[in-house]
Each structure stands twice: as structure tokens, then as C-alpha cells.
């Protein structure tokens, strides 16, 4: 579906915005320019009504099963949000209490992720995992450069080894910071980066390996311990010592609570840094992310800026300057409100709902599960070969969209790009009851699609839309 709102060429161009006269004061304009700033002012109530009514056309975020980002918080969280909307995270001097709360939060995460020494670690909040991943990647690059320079070796050709199934932020990282990405393809035998043939990708110019805890395409975890063991073997054979950044955008806030036996964090000595999205399974509205380093030595001093803070100095490490502080307070609220037990309960309930849904979808007949929602509460399925005659998963996605549910279909990454899958992300707020309604909708639409004797006409642009990022 073309985006009618952002692409004027897609519609019969009408640059006027008409306002219902009932909303305006006598004498106030009822017609405004849509793509130029209006000359005059208007009543705030009128402006509110226009913004409110336009935003109303967005889908219902609670039915958006494509997003990983939180779409529900409780009323006390909303109070804090409204009270703190004016806080700028970068003003550490003006808002020292918010800065202190930021510090508490990343230290709680460092502890949760088993840093060896809580006094010798460093971390920060970010605007999301993207910024956090960029900082983790930059630290790896700078460490590699400093190591090479000290030995008089070239720093001309850095590379980063990662799965072809990484989130788009890693493509951006490699593009923006001029690092050669070495993508390890996804195959049906190796759906995630698991160390298989890693020696073919790693060399003396490798700044690091990215391991994803909760791949966006499938929700599957990359086995960090297994990757680390393979890197041990590579080091033993070649002397090349390569470290890991764990992109735990989703999984770093699920595994500690629901899979405590899984080794993936700083307990593995090759893990240099871990990032997560506070606004995904950290259970905060967008945007907040976090990144923590295993110790101060692996976060090069040359990346840190010092800002004045309460007469002392405060290290900062960030791409952005100004950014909202409210989400950091919301993160602290959730940590206090839920504690480990609460996070475990919330995430386990999402895992249970995900597995309830995946089992029922598997039982419908035409589908094979690729993942079941037992890592993060995210699962993916494909059409069984010969499972459907005149329809495919894009049709099912379109039919569900008409009912308000966003359940995206998209191709897998290389080398599996011929395989189209469909995914559901279960989050706090998708209750078992709502999940039951969703299942009923899926069943009804599958029944409808099965009854087709010819394929539905399709908007060419619609198929192939990728929601995996
Ligand atoms: C969502 C996601 C990102 C990007 O995170 P944002 O918080 O949206 O910036 C990076 N990596 C993975 C694995 C993700 O799931």
C-alpha cells in the first residue's frame, strides 16, 4: 500500500487542508496549506483536533504484531512520562537526579548481565539499540585500531563478521563507519550465526563478531558460547584474538529472567559489550536503549567525552546530544515496580502466549513453524510445500491487516531469500484472550483463502515489503 501521507506524488495532489467549520472560531481560517507553514495562528483546540484526527488514522498499536517496541505501560508510568517530558538527558548538570537514575539503571543491567567487577565497568543509556550497537561497534573498531597502530600495522581495512540476518543497524554501522561487513549466510541448516565455518570469515582485520540474542527474522538466539568456543579455536590456530558484541535488543531483557541457565553474557570472557532496547522487552515506551562494556579497558578512553557534572566531571559516550530523559526515568520505574520477579512473570506470560499461538497455528494445517516463541516471545512460520493453492503469506497478511492486525510476511535474508515467512511478536498487552481473537481471525482468513479458485489480485508494491527490520 503506498503511503498516502508522506508521498504527495501518490495521490491526486491537493495541497489544501480543510478544517471543519465547527472546530474553528468565527473568522478563523477553514482552509490551510498542507505542505507550507500557515501564515497565521489558530486556536490550540483547533490545532489539537487536526493533529488528533490525523494520528487517529494510524493503526492501533496494540494490534501491531510487527513491532518489538512497547505499546502498553500502566497509568503511573504515564504520569511519570508527562511529568518528565521536559527533561533533556544530556543536561547532566541541570538534572543530576535523572543522571543518577541513568547510572543506577545501567549498573543494574551490568549486574544482571554478570560483569566481572561492578566497579570496573562502564555503560550508558542511548536513544535505542541502534545507537547502542553503533557505540559497541565503534569501541571494537577503536580497540582494533589502537592495537594495530601500537604494532605498526595497517588499519586500512577493518571488517566485522555477522550473520546475514542482522538487524539493519549493523548494515548502517558498516556503511557509516567504513567497516567491511562479512555476512555469514543464513541457510536451512544454519538459521543463525553458530560458529560454522567462522574461520573463513575472521582474519587479522576483524574488529569483532556480532552475536544476536533474538534475531529479528525468527526470534532465534545465536549461541554466544558456541561462537566464543569457535573463536577460541581460531585464536589457538592463528593467534588472532576476536571479541564479541552481543546485540541483545530483545533477548538481553528476556534471557536473564526466563532462561537463566543460558550462557550468553559477560560470563563468557570474549563478550566485550552488550546492548539492549529498553523500549522492547525492557517494557518502556520508545526510545531508550542501553549498552554496557565488560570493563573500562574495552571501552577506549578516546571515545569518551567529559562534561561538567556537579562541579566534577561526567564521562559521556553518545552519538546524539539532546535526547529525552523521561524514558530513562520510566526504565527505573519498571525496574523498581517489577523487580526480577515481575520481569520474569511478564516475559514468561508473553512466552506462554507466543507458544499457545504458535502451536495453534501449526495445528491449522498449511503452515510449518520455523521458530516457536521459546527464546524471545517471537515466532515465525512458513507455508508448507503444497500447503496452499491460490494464496500465500502476503495474502494472509493483507487479509489480517484489513481486520486491524499487523502480522507481516517477508523474505528471509541471504541465502534463504526465496523463503517467505510470517512473524508474530508477542508483547506485554497481548493477553491470551486477545490472542484467542487473533487465532480466530487467522483461522477465518485461512478458510477464506482456501476457498479461492483463482489468486487474489495484488498490489505489486505490497508484496515483498519487509517488516523484518
Ligand atoms: C530492534 C533491534 C535493533 C534496533 O533497535 P532500536 O532500539 O529499534 O534502535 C537492533 N538489533 C536487533 C536484534 C533488534 O531486534
Amino acid at each position: 500500500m503506498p503511503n498516502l501521507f508522506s508521498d504527495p506524488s501518490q495521490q491526486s495532489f491537493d495541497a489544501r487542508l480543510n478544517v471543519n467549520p465547527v472546530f474553528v472560531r468565527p473568522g478563523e481560517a477553514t482552509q490551510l496549506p498542507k505542505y507550507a507553514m500557515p501564515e497565521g495562528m489558530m486556536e490550540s483546540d483547533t490545532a489539537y483536533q487536526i493533529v488528533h484526527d490525523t494520528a487517529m488514522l494510524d493503526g492501533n498499536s496494540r494490534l501491531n504484531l510487527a513491532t518489538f517496541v512497547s505499546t502498553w505501560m500502566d497509568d503511573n508510568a504515564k504520569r511519570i512520562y508527562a511529568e518528565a517530558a521536559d527533561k533533556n538527558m544530556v543536561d547532566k548538570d541541570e538534572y543530576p537526579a535523572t543522571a543518577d537514575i541513568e547510572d543506577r539503571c545501567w549498573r543494574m543491567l551490568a549486574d544482571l548481565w554478570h560483569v566481572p567487577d561492578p566497579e570496573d565497568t562502564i555503560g550508558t543509556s542511548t536513544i535505542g539499540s541502534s545507537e547502542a550497537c553503533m557505540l559497541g561497534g565503534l569501541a571494537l573498531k577503536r580497540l582494533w585500531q589502537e592495537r594495530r597502530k601500537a604494532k605498526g600495522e595497517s588499519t586500512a581495512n577493518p571488517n566485522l563478521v555477522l550473520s546475514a540476518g542482522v538487524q539493519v543497524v549493523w548494515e548502517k554501522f558498516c556503511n557509516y563507519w567504513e567497516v567491511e561487513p562479512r555476512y555469514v549466510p543464513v541457510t536451512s541448516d544454519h538459521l543463525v550465526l553458530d560458529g560454522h565455518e567462522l574461520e573463513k570469515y575472521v582474519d587479522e582485520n576483524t574488529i569483532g563478531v556480532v552475536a544476536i540474542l533474538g534475531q529479528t527474522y525468527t526470534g532465534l538466539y545465536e549461541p554466544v558460547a558456541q561462537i566464543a568456543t569457535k573463536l577460541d579455536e581460531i585464536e589457538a590456530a592463528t593467534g588472532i584474538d576476536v571479541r564479541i558484541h552481543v546485540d541483545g535488543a530483545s533477548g538481553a531483557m528476556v534471557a536473564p529472567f526466563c532462561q537463566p541457565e543460558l550462557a550468553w553474557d559477560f560470563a563468557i570472557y570474549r563478550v566485550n559489550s552488550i546492548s539492549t532496547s529498553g523500549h522492547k522487552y525492557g517494557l518502556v515506551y520508545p526510545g531508550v536503549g542501553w549498552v554496557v562494556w565488560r570493563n573500562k579497558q574495552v571501552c577506549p578512553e578516546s571515545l569518551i567525552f567529559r562534561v561538567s557534572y556537579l562541579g566534577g566531571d561526567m564521562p559521556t559516550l553518545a552519538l546524539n546530544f539532546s535526547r529525552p530523559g523521561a524514558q530513562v526515568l520510566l526504565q527505573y520505574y519498571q525496574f523498581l515496580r517489577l523487580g526480577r520477579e515481575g520481569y520474569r512473570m511478564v516475559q514468561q506470560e508473553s512466552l506462554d502466549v507466543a507458544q499457545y499461538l504458535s502451536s495453534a497455528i501449526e495445528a491449522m494445517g498449511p503452515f510449518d513453524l520455523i521458530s516457536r516463541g521459546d527464546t524471545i516471545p517471537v515466532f515465525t512460520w512458513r507455508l508448507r510445500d503444497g500447503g496452499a493453492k491460490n494464496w500465500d503469506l502476503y495474502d494472509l497478511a493483507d487479509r489480517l491487516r484489513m481486520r486491524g492486525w499487523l502480522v507481516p510476511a517477508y523474505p528471509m535474508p541471504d541465502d534463504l531469500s526465496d523463503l517467505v515467512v510470517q512473524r508474530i511478536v508477542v508483547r506485554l498487552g497481548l493477553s491470551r484472550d486477545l490472542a484467542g481473537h487473533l487465532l480466530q481471525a487467522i483461522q477465518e482468513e485461512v478458510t477464506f483463502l482456501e476457498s479461492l479458485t483463482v489468486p487474489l489480485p495484488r498490489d505489486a508494491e505490497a508484496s515483498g515489503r519487509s517488516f523484518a527490520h
Side-chain angles (χ1 to χ4, degrees):
M1 189 175 67
N3 186 342
L4 296 173
F5 298 99
S6 62
D7 186 358
S9 70
Q10 296 285 333
Q11 52 192 314
S12 55
F13 190 81
D14 185 353
R16 291 160 307 173
L17 176 70
N18 292 298
V19 184
N20 189 315
V22 83
F23 296 144
V24 305
R25 266 190 319 181
E28 205 175 19
T30 56
Q31 203 173 73
L32 299 155
K34 207 186 274 179
Y35 303 112
M37 195 181 287
E39 259 330 301
M41 298 189 283
M42 74 169 66
E43 279 291 290
S44 82
D45 285 348
T46 315
Y48 170 84
Q49 192 74 47
I50 294 169
V51 176
H52 174 87
D53 288 1
T54 307
M56 182 183 74
L57 295 173
D58 281 336
N60 177 341
S61 65
R62 296 280 295 283
L63 304 187
N64 177 1
L65 304 185
T67 187
F68 287 77
V69 173
S70 300
T71 45
W72 187 86
M73 291 192 81
D74 69 26
D75 286 342
N76 282 326
K78 288 176 188 156
R79 274 173 64 202
I80 291 172
Y81 204 165
E83 287 163 11
D86 57 346
K87 304 269 179 144
N88 185 351
M89 198 59 237
V90 86
D91 290 338
K92 314 266 180 192
D93 198 20
E94 290 83 346
Y95 307 124
T98 299
D100 184 44
I101 283 176
E102 178 195 32
D103 208 52
R104 292 182 201 183
C105 287
W106 72 254
R107 285 183 189 282
M108 286 185 188
L109 291 173
D111 174 57
L112 193 65
W113 298 335
H114 302 112
V115 283
D117 178 358
E119 298 199 358
D120 176 25
T121 174
I122 184 163
T124 182
S125 70
T126 60
I127 195 76
S129 274
S130 299
E131 188 187 9
C133 291
M134 294 268 178
L135 295 175
L138 277 174
L140 286 174
K141 184 180 176 193
R142 188 62 63 84
L143 280 177
W144 170 84
Q145 285 170 326
E146 288 178 353
R147 219 166 44 233
R148 302 274 297 174
K149 279 188 192 142
K151 288 194 268 175
E153 291 165 340
S154 162
T155 56
N157 297 303
N159 70 68
L160 180 68
V161 175
L162 61 187
S163 164
V166 288
Q167 209 266 357
V168 68
V169 63
W170 292 105
E171 294 169 46
K172 286 189 191 168
F173 171 80
C174 290
N175 180 331
Y176 295 173
W177 274 277
E178 300 186 350
V179 172
E180 175 204 342
R182 292 201 174 160
Y183 293 116
V184 179
V186 168
T187 63
S188 45
D189 290 337
H190 302 280
L191 279 174
V192 295
L193 184 83
D194 56 8
H196 176 66
E197 296 194 328
L198 202 54
E199 68 282 1
K200 291 191 179 166
Y201 297 85
V202 167
D203 63 21
E204 59 176 13
N205 289 318
T206 302
I207 64 169
V209 171
V210 175
I212 315 165
L213 209 67
Q215 230 191 30
T216 50
Y217 289 87
T218 56
L220 294 171
Y221 286 164
E222 298 190 330
V224 186
Q226 202 174 309
I227 295 168
T229 304
K230 186 62 179 244
L231 289 172
D232 289 345
E233 289 166 22
I234 292 172
E235 184 174 2
T238 65
I240 300 169
D241 176 6
V242 175
R243 301 296 163 125
I244 297 170
H245 175 87
V246 178
D247 175 356
S250 305
M253 292 307 292
V254 176
F257 309 109
C258 297
Q259 299 108 10
E261 68 299 335
L262 183 74
W264 67 274
D265 61 14
F266 293 118
I268 297 169
Y269 82 98
R270 280 192 189 275
V271 173
N272 259 21
S273 44
I274 298 173
S275 52
T276 197
S277 295
H279 54 221
K280 291 185 177 174
Y281 291 96
L283 307 176
V284 175
Y285 284 140
V288 62
W290 302 95
V291 55
V292 175
W293 283 267
R294 96 175 280 108
N295 57 44
K296 290 180 182 154
Q297 295 84 287
V298 297
C299 181
E301 185 66 25
S302 59
L303 289 178
I304 295 169
F305 288 75
R306 307 266 161 198
V307 299
S308 136
Y309 170 61
L310 285 181
D313 96 332
M314 173 99 180
T316 73
L317 179 52
L319 299 182
N320 254 65
F321 189 67
S322 298
R323 113 180 113 77
Q327 282 82 346
V328 167
L329 301 185
L330 290 181
Q331 186 74 80
Y332 189 51
Y333 167 75
Q334 290 290 46
F335 286 170
L336 292 178
R337 161 80 179 91
L338 294 171
R340 289 181 188 235
E341 181 56 16
Y343 268 94
R344 195 195 61 73
M345 278 178 61
V346 169
Q347 318 298 39
Q348 189 58 50
E349 177 62 14
S350 294
L351 285 166
D352 291 348
V353 170
Q355 288 161 57
Y356 160 66
L357 281 169
S358 67
S359 310
I361 287 171
E362 184 177 38
M364 283 181 190
F367 309 117
D368 279 331
L369 292 182
I370 290 175
S371 49
R372 343 187 50 88
D374 52 6
T375 46
I376 52 175
V378 172
F379 66 96
T380 309
W381 67 92
R382 57 174 293 176
L383 263 180
R384 181 170 298 165
D385 289 335
K389 264 210 235 44
N390 289 310
W391 59 281
D392 62 17
L393 295 177
Y394 293 116
D395 293 313
L396 180 55
D398 283 348
R399 296 292 304 178
L400 291 170
R401 178 185 276 263
M402 287 181 215
R403 302 173 67 144
W405 293 104
L406 293 186
V407 185
Y410 52 86
M412 288 286 284
D414 293 338
D415 290 342
L416 276 183
S417 51
D418 289 342
L419 176 62
V420 172
V421 298
Q422 195 158 16
R423 183 187 72 193
I424 285 179
V425 176
V426 177
R427 303 181 302 275
L428 172 61
L430 185 73
S431 64
R432 195 173 276 258
D433 186 43
L434 282 173
H437 287 283
L438 169 64
L439 273 180
Q440 192 183 339
I442 295 175
Q443 185 60 69
E444 285 168 10
E445 295 308 332
V446 166
T447 304
F448 166 80
L449 291 166
E450 302 256 81
S451 74
L452 293 175
T453 52
V454 289
L456 294 169
R458 182 183 289 157
D459 174 351
E461 259 183 72
S463 14
R465 267 179 312 196
S466 171
F467 284 80
H469 298 319

